[in-house]
Amino acid sequence: ADERAVRSALDVVDLAGDVDPAAVLLAIRGMVMAPVIMPHLARRLLGTDPSDPEFRWRYGETLAGVIRRLAQPLPTAAEPAETPSRAE
C-alpha cells in the first residue's frame, strides 16, 4: 500500500484518542511486510506459501478486515458492543 494513501485513510478515520495514528501506520506497514520478510513463518502459520495467489487473497482480505475494524466507531455506553452467542 502506498504510504500517502494509508496516511490519507488514517486521516479520515476517527481513531480513539489514546491511539497514535503514526503507531497504527507502522503496525499496518509491519503487517504488509511480514510475509515478505518472514515467508517461512507465514507459510507455517497460514499453511500456504506467500507467493501463492490463495495466500495473497486470504491475507489481503484479513488485512482489509483489520483496517475496516479500525475505521468502525466504538460503541457508546448506550450501545453495548454486539457479542456473538456461543450457541450460534
Side-chain angles (χ1 to χ4, degrees):
D2 178 74
E3 185 172 339
R4 284 176 291 171
V6 174
R7 280 192 181 275
S8 294
L10 288 175
D11 286 342
V12 298
V13 172
D14 188 20
L15 296 173
D18 62 343
V19 176
D20 181 349
V24 171
L25 179 60
L26 180 61
I28 291 170
R29 291 307 236 174
M31 289 186 294
V32 169
M33 293 186 313
V36 175
I37 296 169
M38 300 175 283
H40 57 286
L41 181 60
R43 189 177 312 109
R44 186 173 36 181
L45 292 174
L46 281 86
T48 309
D49 192 271
S51 64
D52 187 291
E54 172 66 23
F55 178 95
R56 291 182 192 167
W57 178 84
R58 179 179 171 196
Y59 195 66
E61 286 295 309
T62 300
L63 293 182
V66 168
I67 293 168
R68 277 192 302 273
R69 294 271 176 119
L70 286 172
Q72 290 178 350
L74 296 173
T76 64
E79 302 174 29
E82 289 185 33
T83 54
S85 168
R86 292 214 180 256
E88 291 179 7

